[in-house]
Amino acid sequence: MAEPLALYVHWPFCVSKCPYCDFNSHVRERVDQAAWCAALLADLVHEAALLPGRKISSIFFGGGTPSLMPPATVAAVIAAADAAWGLADDCEVTLEANPNSVEVANFADLAAAGVNRVSIGVQSFDPQILEFLGRAHSGDEARSAIAAAQDHFARVSFDLIYARPGQSLAAWESELGAALAFGTGHLSLYQLTIEPGTRFATLAAKGDLVIPDGDAAADLFDATQAIMRAAGLPRYEVSNHAAPGEESRHNLTYWRYGDYAGIGPGAHGRRLAQATERHKKPENFMSAVDRNGHGLKVETDLPPHERATEAMLMGLRLTEGIDLARVEDRSGLGREAFVDAAAVARLAGQGLLVQAGDRLAVTDAGILLLDSILSEVVRTAQEN
């Protein structure tokens, strides 16, 4: 049987828009829940018809704020995926949640619907920082949400944002220690970045928002790695840390360049050497489903070189690195077409890369230089 498949389900609605967010999220006064459930199911059935003979290894409800989804809709999507494909025995079903009390109240029903892992958007426990980040929850709500999640779900992760304006190393170490005290098996730790088109980008352009410079950010990153390793949750991807076996299987499918179906507004997918993308705006997505029976906006054939490049860019984010033989198999190209062997040798000599047989990985010393390493190592179609 072909490799199992990951399923991404996008719920586009939020209560409010955060100033650092560049995701496909929308604020609406009213959402027709029955219509949205029907649209997601139609979109799923369309994808399933194109991907027969696969099992689902993971489902990820992302957003937006999918913890605002009615649990009945979540249950319907999981049941439809099971009916269309079949779920693997150990299928990971993750839902992103905000720690607001109204959403936490749904945790029991979401668990009953089949969700077995939650990822909570905490970002900080500090009230001033939460206000700065435009978050609608308090530190106490965040702590209560994590505790409630641990009561209802087998696996719990939460996000924190660091390298914020004026953040000291000591303050971050204290915050990270408090986060680790919850004992979750997974933490996502993101350095604050200024994304184009966000309110933070406007403030930064005016000089009203200044984030730590490269050296300060690197010190924060290095301290994070040391603390997380000592706590038994080493980094397995640039910003993601987990105890052994607690890694996000869904995200590993992306990073290992497996196939995944994407349904819902703006959802991206990779299937059968094609890239898929749904209509982003909720109203346009719904119109497309009404018109065509699915929300697809584009299906693009990915030529061999593009597949190899994508696989390299994703895989080298992982601590385990990339399996070059797998990239050859997924792209149909020999590795000399997409890897600059001379650059690999040079960077390995500098301690930034390590190669053992088919496995190529960026070292801890190289991970902060990932973008420049990728530009040197990955051979694109234009270079051939």
Side-chain angles (χ1 to χ4, degrees):
M1 178 180 277
E3 280 187 7
L5 190 68
L7 173 64
Y8 176 76
V9 183
H10 192 82
W11 183 257
F13 302 112
C14 285
V15 172
S16 60
K17 186 80 172 178
C18 297
Y20 56 86
C21 175
D22 67 341
F23 292 162
N24 182 34
S25 59
H26 303 264
V27 179
R28 297 288 186 270
E29 283 187 21
R30 183 179 167 278
V31 175
D32 185 335
Q33 300 292 354
W36 271 95
C37 182
L40 289 173
L41 297 182
D43 211 24
L44 184 152
V45 167
H46 178 82
E47 282 297 302
L50 298 171
L51 286 161
R54 309 290 283 269
K55 282 274 193 184
I56 295 289
S57 58
S58 65
I59 303 174
F60 193 101
F61 291 89
T65 308
S67 47
L68 294 173
M69 292 177 76
T73 300
V74 174
V77 170
I78 295 169
D82 194 17
W85 284 293
L87 304 185
D89 290 340
D90 60 347
C91 186
E92 174 189 274
V93 183
T94 302
L95 184 134
E96 289 183 329
N98 278 331
N100 307 81
S101 53
V102 65
E103 295 166 44
V104 173
N106 281 338
F107 279 0
D109 288 339
L110 288 167
V115 174
N116 53 33
R117 181 178 182 272
V118 289
S119 178
I120 305 174
V122 169
Q123 316 313 355
S124 176
F125 296 98
D126 184 303
Q128 287 181 300
I129 300 303
L130 289 167
E131 184 178 357
F132 162 72
L133 293 171
R135 304 297 287 167
H137 64 269
S138 68
D140 284 343
E141 280 183 307
R143 286 182 274 268
S144 296
I146 296 167
Q150 289 173 310
D151 286 341
H152 291 294
F153 304 102
R155 299 170 65 204
V156 177
S157 175
F158 61 92
D159 300 355
L160 294 176
I161 291 177
Y162 71 107
R164 306 182 303 251
Q167 186 178 32
S168 70
L169 185 55
W172 172 233
E173 288 174 343
S174 173
E175 197 171 341
L176 198 48
L180 285 165
F182 288 100
T184 62
H186 191 286
L187 283 176
S188 296
L189 308 172
Y190 300 104
Q191 293 205 352
L192 180 63
T193 53
I194 307 300
E195 302 295 345
T198 63
R199 187 160 66 82
F200 274 3
T202 305
L203 293 171
K206 293 193 295 186
D208 293 339
L209 176 63
V210 180
I211 60 175
D213 63 20
D215 287 344
D219 289 345
L220 288 163
F221 182 86
D222 289 343
T224 302
Q225 307 317 304
I227 291 167
M228 297 303 288
R229 271 196 303 272
L233 279 76
R235 173 178 60 82
Y236 70 97
E237 187 270 346
V238 176
S239 303
N240 287 278
H241 300 256
E246 288 295 309
E247 299 87 354
S248 165
R249 289 178 226 152
H250 185 85
N251 286 337
L252 283 174
T253 296
Y254 296 160
W255 292 319
R256 290 171 176 165
Y257 208 59
D259 280 351
Y260 60 99
I263 67 167
H268 289 251
R270 291 289 181 275
R271 54 159 156 81
L272 308 178
Q274 281 190 323
T276 65
E277 185 180 347
R278 262 56 188 173
H279 287 275
K280 282 184 75 168
K281 190 177 178 185
E283 292 76 11
N284 294 352
F285 172 81
M286 291 294 272
S287 296
V289 173
D290 290 342
R291 189 170 61 247
N292 305 318
H294 59 75
L296 270 166
K297 182 180 181 182
V298 288
E299 289 174 297
T300 308
D301 290 331
L302 292 170
H305 230 107
E306 204 164 323
R307 299 202 295 276
T309 298
E310 280 194 345
M312 291 290 291
L313 297 182
M314 298 291 277
L316 286 173
R317 298 179 63 85
L318 289 167
T319 303
E320 72 181 30
I322 196 153
D323 180 345
L324 296 174
R326 176 175 166 77
V327 182
E328 290 178 324
D329 181 58
R330 299 286 290 171
S331 67
L333 297 173
R335 65 191 65 182
E336 67 283 349
F338 55 84
V339 176
D340 186 326
V344 169
R346 184 176 69 253
L347 293 166
Q350 295 170 15
L352 303 177
L353 282 176
V354 61
Q355 183 166 11
D358 290 331
R359 180 71 55 180
L360 179 65
V362 179
T363 64
D364 286 344
I367 200 69
L368 283 174
L369 304 169
L370 179 62
D371 288 345
S372 58
I373 288 172
L374 291 172
S375 68
E376 290 190 52
V377 167
V378 181
R379 301 185 71 185
T380 63
Q382 291 79 16
E383 297 171 30
N384 286 270

